[in-house]
Amino acid sequence: MNEQLLQDDKKLQKSFFNFLIPVMLANVLQSLGQVFGMFIVGRNLGVDALAAISAFFPFFFFLMAFAIGIGSGSSILVGQTYGAGNHEKMKEVVGVTLAFTTILSIAVAIFGGFFIEWILRFMQTPANILEPSISYAQILFFTLPIMFWYFVYTTFMRGVGDSKTPFLFLVISVVLNIAFLPPLVFGWVGLPKFGLNGAAYASVLSNLVTMLLLLGYLHKTKHLLRLDKSILKHFKLKKDILVSLLKLAIPSSISMVAISVAEIAVIGFVNVYGSDATAAYGVVNQVASYAQVPAMSIAIATSVFVAQALGANSTEMIKKIRLLGVRINYILGGVIILIMYLFAEPILSLFIDSHNTVLIAKDYLYITFWSYLIFGHTQTVSATMRATGVVLWPTIFLVIAIWVVEVPLAFILSHHTSLELNGVWLAYPVTFCVHFVLQYAYFKLGWQKRTLKAMLSD
């Protein structure tokens, strides 16, 4: 982070937006790719196929939580070392992270691939969608190392402030996925008709091709993070880097695991109401990814800018970055959520041809979407603290909000009140509000009194 940026608020805002816009577009584009897949599956293979994907997703997210945690931790370390101008240390972080990611992804792939049937049965997955869910899941799990590598490499680039390159290659990935999807699902151009499994194969192939193209592009353009000898010589587990990485990654992974296990529990409550409810749950979660775009994108941008500011020993900029993120959250998030409310039924009807499923999904959307503004504010505050290495308390508060509030409340309201399924939906906004109160209280009473310093140095 250069001196002019640190001293000029307008330049800081411009730089923040220049970083944020590609991140937001990337999140939107990624969601569009997922929505296209849901559209193809839902409209052509039916509600049961849609429900099969929805039933599997919470457990997949559970295992992806490890990649998300590693990516989050490595981007903070990359940002701090890059902000300090220590490129050699930054490349050391990249090499160690890639080595650890490779080992972890193989372990997760084996575990997920062999135990998915037992897990889905434990989640009370409806019998009519169990077999397709298992088959679909195993394809994704056994190819998980590809997805892990692609994911962490894009977080490295964002850590050095490059959000444009990941966006450009995401465009390629989504275009490839859309191109691969119909031929593999329906058996076009002489290919076998894979049905639902074709959606999984399309995802795997698009990720693989895109990752190879990305690595080639970085090498050709001599990007700072190109995979060459200067990074590969650090492709090993080094204690100091690994300890710092795990200090950040483990709480982040625990947060993601807490969320995903809670979703596994929640979808168990939803599954009781049949495959229509399961399909509605999956579709609204896809639509919700748009409502969450500002929150998640701003959190990423805030984390990167705060990490770089800390690496440059400019702690006075951290407050300005956080406040900027909060303001953008309420403006952009408010506009997107308003659109969702105004056009809820037409949007949901794009993916669902069952009137009963649309009605269930609409209730879910109406009850929960306003609270994504609170969620976004919480994410910005949490991202600020995590980027400075403060990860334990934000994780504790998230776990409390989910397991003391969300899961028990969803169970009680759906099983012991007249709200029934709507009780599951109502638990979400209550949880977001409780989580915000806990995080903001610690931010004011604890974090602001700390002496901040970068985690790695020579």
Side-chain angles (χ1 to χ4, degrees):
M1 187 170 284
N2 61 56
E3 279 306 312
Q4 283 187 326
L5 195 63
L6 298 176
Q7 296 172 4
D8 191 322
D9 288 355
K10 288 186 178 179
K11 287 185 178 180
L12 175 65
Q13 292 175 11
K14 182 179 179 181
S15 182
F16 191 92
F17 271 104
N18 285 342
F19 182 90
L20 176 65
I21 290 171
V23 174
M24 288 189 63
L25 291 175
N27 283 329
V28 170
L29 189 62
Q30 195 166 34
S31 297
L32 279 173
Q34 292 170 349
V35 164
F36 179 79
M38 297 289 274
F39 176 81
I40 291 292
V41 171
R43 283 291 183 178
N44 295 279
L45 303 181
V47 170
D48 282 355
L50 198 61
I53 296 176
S54 303
F56 149 73
F57 179 76
F59 183 63
F60 185 70
F61 184 74
F62 164 75
L63 294 182
M64 278 299 294
F66 298 105
I68 295 169
I70 294 168
S72 174
S74 63
S75 69
I76 291 170
L77 295 179
V78 166
Q80 289 184 2
T81 50
Y82 178 78
N86 192 343
H87 292 176
E88 181 60 29
K89 197 71 174 180
M90 180 198 69
K91 291 185 177 184
E92 191 177 352
V93 170
V94 172
V96 173
T97 303
L98 288 175
F100 184 64
T101 297
T102 301
I103 294 170
L104 182 65
S105 63
I106 292 172
V108 171
I110 293 171
F111 175 82
F114 284 108
F115 288 95
I116 186 61
E117 179 175 356
W118 182 86
I119 294 293
L120 288 174
R121 290 185 186 277
F122 178 76
M123 290 165 57
Q124 303 180 60
T125 302
N128 60 314
I129 60 173
L130 181 62
E131 288 303 320
S133 291
I134 293 170
S135 181
Y136 178 89
Q138 286 178 330
I139 295 169
L140 293 184
F141 275 128
F142 287 131
T143 57
L144 206 57
I146 298 169
M147 188 178 297
F148 269 43
W149 256 64
Y150 179 50
F151 178 82
V152 297
Y153 226 99
T154 57
T155 63
F156 296 153
M157 288 185 284
R158 286 172 176 165
V160 301
D162 181 5
S163 61
K164 293 180 181 178
T165 301
F167 169 68
L168 291 174
F169 279 87
L170 181 63
V171 172
I172 295 173
S173 178
V174 170
V175 169
L176 288 175
N177 188 57
I178 290 173
F180 291 152
L181 195 61
L184 291 170
V185 170
F186 304 121
W188 293 356
V189 296
L191 292 172
K193 183 178 180 180
F194 290 109
L196 180 60
N197 287 348
Y201 288 129
S203 176
V204 171
L205 284 173
S206 62
N207 282 333
L208 176 60
V209 173
T210 304
M211 186 185 71
L212 294 175
L213 290 174
L214 172 62
L215 293 177
Y217 171 82
L218 294 178
H219 184 77
K220 185 176 181 179
T221 58
K222 298 183 179 180
H223 193 283
L224 182 63
L225 290 171
R226 64 188 180 276
L227 190 64
D228 59 10
K229 291 180 180 179
S230 65
I231 287 177
L232 289 174
K233 70 180 182 181
H234 298 298
F235 191 81
K236 51 191 171 184
L237 303 182
K238 298 186 69 175
K239 183 178 178 181
D240 62 330
I241 301 292
L242 197 57
V243 167
S244 295
L245 177 63
L246 292 178
K247 182 180 177 182
L248 295 167
I250 289 175
S252 295
S253 295
I254 289 172
S255 297
M256 296 297 102
V257 167
I259 293 171
S260 58
V261 173
E263 289 303 306
I264 291 171
V266 168
I267 200 173
F269 306 155
V270 174
N271 286 341
V272 171
Y273 292 90
S275 56
D276 277 353
T278 306
Y281 170 86
V283 168
V284 175
N285 281 349
Q286 287 295 328
V287 175
S289 63
Y290 290 101
Q292 295 176 22
V293 161
M296 304 306 294
S297 304
I298 292 165
I300 292 170
T302 300
S303 179
V304 168
F305 274 70
V306 168
Q308 290 190 16
L310 186 60
N313 294 315
S314 183
T315 55
E316 73 274 7
M317 293 302 299
I318 293 175
K319 180 178 179 180
K320 293 181 180 180
I321 294 167
R322 176 181 60 84
L323 291 176
L324 178 62
V326 169
R327 286 197 298 270
I328 297 171
N329 167 69
Y330 281 105
I331 294 170
L332 290 181
V335 170
I336 292 173
I337 290 169
L338 179 61
I339 292 171
M340 297 290 187
Y341 275 108
L342 291 175
F343 303 100
E345 189 161 342
I347 291 171
L348 295 170
S349 296
L350 288 173
F351 317 107
I352 309 169
D353 57 8
S354 165
H355 181 66
N356 184 51
T357 308
V358 169
L359 292 179
I360 295 170
K362 190 164 66 171
D363 284 343
Y364 182 10
L365 188 152
Y366 283 165
I367 291 169
T368 60
F369 270 38
W370 65 270
S371 61
Y372 287 124
L373 292 176
I374 307 299
F375 168 79
H377 195 154
T378 307
Q379 289 295 303
T380 302
V381 173
S382 297
T384 301
M385 294 191 286
R386 291 178 188 276
T388 63
V390 178
V391 291
L392 178 60
W393 282 107
T395 300
I396 290 172
F397 295 138
L398 177 64
V399 172
I400 289 172
I402 289 174
W403 284 100
V404 177
V405 180
E406 180 187 344
V407 174
L409 190 62
F411 175 78
I412 291 168
L413 294 179
S414 63
H415 286 70
H416 300 288
T417 75
S418 59
L419 290 170
E420 296 184 329
L421 185 58
N422 284 342
V424 176
W425 314 146
L426 185 60
Y428 284 98
V430 174
T431 302
F432 290 152
C433 291
V434 171
H435 188 207
F436 173 76
V437 171
L438 292 173
Q439 294 281 34
Y440 199 73
Y442 176 75
F443 175 80
K444 284 292 186 182
L445 301 176
W447 181 85
Q448 287 189 330
K449 298 178 181 179
R450 295 173 62 97
T451 299
L452 304 176
K453 61 180 181 178
M455 298 179 68
L456 293 175
S457 59
D458 288 325

